[in-house]
Amino acid sequence: GKRKTVAWPWRHLTRLSRALMPGTVTAICGDPGCGKSLLVLETAEWWHSSGVKVAVYELEEDRTYHLARLLSQLDNNSDLTDAEWIRANPDASRKAYLRHRVRLDSFTSCIDAAPDNQITHATLLKWMEDRAKSGCRVIAIDPITAAATSDKPWVDDLNFLMAAKKIVRDHGCSLVLVTHPRKGKRSGMPLDDLAGGAAYPRFSQCVLWIVRHERRQSVVCFGPSGNFH
């Protein structure tokens, strides 16, 4: 009973994926602009507010950028990411910040960011181990594809993932890696279309592929007890 899955904010995703068991790696992939980073940000804050210790390393943009996006999520108002709207609506912007200041301030320490440097896999592994030793149950890197590699990136990817898997196994935490589809022609087999080396589709316990829909639509999910909409 000591091993348990960390829940996602979405019940079906938790039940069908069981993605966040201790010692596991989950890759989140999708086309640019589909909402991968927003999903990780929203979920990480939800975990933090629920009492799950979490750490996020943002390799693109700084902490202020991500906290501004989080404010827009918490207030359900995407205009809060628009500098022109904020300038035209200073009172509404300040009120939104005051409504969520406590949650934002609490979550700030969960984010590390390195927007001006290309971080190496070795740096990420050291950061992961430090966060795992401090008791973080979920550790996320967004995006892993921004890490610096040598002239043999597929070897770098394999070495990184094997070392990362050892860290999460040793400490009983879960790793979430945001990645992208590889460039060029799609194979028709989604797992083969992840960017980086073959290590990510082969050695991740779960891959979540995010698709952005322009409008609401019904889809069929294949569940353990039959299909459902």
Side-chain angles (χ1 to χ4, degrees):
K2 292 182 180 180
R3 283 173 57 83
K4 60 178 291 187
T5 303
V6 174
W8 298 83
W10 306 281
R11 181 170 57 90
H12 286 313
L13 182 59
T14 300
R15 184 171 62 87
L16 294 175
S17 70
R18 301 295 181 194
L20 298 173
M21 286 291 287
T24 59
V25 177
T26 295
I28 296 179
C29 188
D31 290 327
C34 71
K36 301 182 297 296
S37 295
L38 288 170
L39 181 145
V40 169
L41 188 64
E42 178 182 358
T43 306
E45 197 283 329
W46 184 82
W47 286 326
H48 174 71
S49 295
S50 303
V52 177
K53 193 169 183 179
V54 60
V56 182
Y57 206 131
E58 297 286 0
L59 300 185
E60 295 177 343
E61 309 298 343
D62 60 16
R63 182 185 284 112
T64 300
Y65 172 87
H66 293 289
L67 289 174
R69 299 181 97 193
L70 179 59
L71 173 60
S72 75
Q73 291 178 315
L74 294 174
D75 206 59
N76 197 29
N77 180 6
S78 61
D79 288 330
L80 288 167
T81 62
D82 183 342
E84 296 299 320
W85 186 90
I86 291 172
R87 185 172 64 178
N89 299 272
D91 292 339
S93 301
R94 291 191 185 96
K95 288 178 180 178
Y97 170 68
L98 291 173
R99 279 194 293 272
H100 305 288
R101 181 176 60 183
V102 173
R103 289 179 68 174
L104 290 170
D105 289 348
S106 176
F107 184 66
T108 297
S109 62
C110 299
I111 299 178
D112 288 286
D116 302 321
N117 301 296
Q118 194 168 21
I119 300 300
T120 64
H121 284 135
T123 301
L124 290 173
L125 289 170
K126 177 64 168 60
W127 172 83
M128 274 186 60
E129 187 150 31
D130 289 344
R131 296 300 178 272
K133 286 180 178 178
S134 72
C136 286
R137 179 60 180 81
V138 182
I139 299 171
I141 299 173
D142 178 22
I144 188 58
T145 44
T149 57
S150 68
D151 58 348
K152 294 182 179 179
W154 60 92
V155 176
D156 299 332
D157 291 336
L158 178 60
N159 290 338
F160 167 77
L161 194 55
M162 292 299 100
K165 285 168 71 73
K166 184 178 187 307
I167 291 172
V168 297
R169 284 197 306 270
D170 289 348
H171 297 279
C173 53
S174 303
L175 176 62
V176 176
L177 299 173
V178 177
T179 185
H180 301 89
R182 64 181 174 87
K183 296 179 180 179
K185 185 178 179 181
R186 299 293 175 84
S187 67
M189 294 293 291
L191 293 186
D192 293 333
D193 288 332
L194 269 69
Y200 293 112
R202 287 181 182 175
F203 299 113
S204 299
Q205 278 81 10
C206 179
V207 176
L208 301 177
W209 199 288
I210 309 303
V211 179
R212 179 174 182 259
H213 299 289
E214 294 296 333
R215 57 182 60 86
R216 187 184 300 273
Q217 68 183 67
S218 177
V219 297
V220 176
C221 297
F222 302 98
S225 302
N227 303 341
F228 63 92
H229 288 272

